[in-house]
Amino acid sequence: MTNPQPPLVDAASMRDVLGHFCSGVTVITAIGPDGPVGFTCQSFASLSLDPPLVSFAPARTSSSWPKVRDARRFCVNVLADDQNDLSNAFARSGTDKFVGVQWRPSLQGAPVLGGVVAWIDCELWAEYDGGDHTMVAASVVDLGADTARTPLLFHRGAYGLQSAIRVEEAS
């Protein structure tokens, strides 16, 4: 008797099911050779307390990650619940993402965006193959938070938990 092969998981099903997991939204920023650079990233997590490490996973197709990687020092900006426009702006390619964006340099010089919930100043620790993404581990060198702000959430393909609330109200 042979063991049946498990069914292959298609990308659409995986995205739909994993979309039920709520994530925060970050913008990873650095100073590149031509000025500030950054990109939106949802796959951010705390990795280790000793040593202090965080992780995130930029898409292999990202044109911004190589510039951030080359800088080796960058800032993870945790967006606030009123910053979905900022998230959308940093998700685009081929534009100057910093036009009209307020920011200040971190201790290492990476942009800390105005109005964020929290920021984590980092140095590149390691990179790993993650399929169509790169798994990044980063050493935390400084950080801060604004406890008066609430985070921007992404759930089931939209910002906030409104899609979950609409489903409950329809039931």
Side-chain angles (χ1 to χ4, degrees), residues 47-135:
L47 182 60
S48 170
L49 294 176
D50 186 18
L53 300 172
V54 295
S55 66
F56 59 92
R60 289 207 184 272
T61 57
S62 171
S63 59
S64 297
W65 168 241
K67 296 172 188 171
V68 172
R69 176 199 305 118
D70 289 348
R72 301 200 57 83
R73 295 177 176 178
F74 45 85
C75 187
V76 177
N77 295 270
V78 180
L79 298 187
D81 61 359
D82 61 354
Q83 293 183 309
N84 55 317
D85 288 342
L86 198 58
S87 171
N88 291 333
F90 277 86
R92 292 186 192 100
S93 292
T95 63
D96 183 350
K97 300 173 186 180
F98 283 85
V99 169
V101 174
Q102 293 183 359
W103 64 275
R104 65 172 177 80
S106 70
L107 289 177
Q108 298 192 111
V112 177
L113 303 179
V116 296
V117 170
W119 55 270
I120 304 96
D121 208 13
C122 302
E123 290 184 9
L124 183 61
W125 173 276
E127 287 184 81
Y128 306 96
D129 181 11
D132 59 2
H133 283 67
T134 298
M135 303 286 299

Side-chain angles (χ1 to χ4, degrees), residues 109-171:
V112 177
L113 303 179
V116 296
V117 170
W119 55 270
I120 304 96
D121 208 13
C122 302
E123 290 184 9
L124 183 61
W125 173 276
E127 287 184 81
Y128 306 96
D129 181 11
D132 59 2
H133 283 67
T134 298
M135 303 286 299
V136 176
S139 176
V140 176
V141 297
D142 195 18
L143 68 170
D146 181 347
T147 58
R149 307 280 286 153
T150 53
L152 179 61
L153 302 178
F154 196 77
H155 178 250
R156 297 176 69 184
Y159 294 113
L161 297 176
Q162 297 307 308
S163 58
I165 293 169
R166 284 191 294 271
V167 168
E168 285 180 16
E169 289 174 349
S171 299

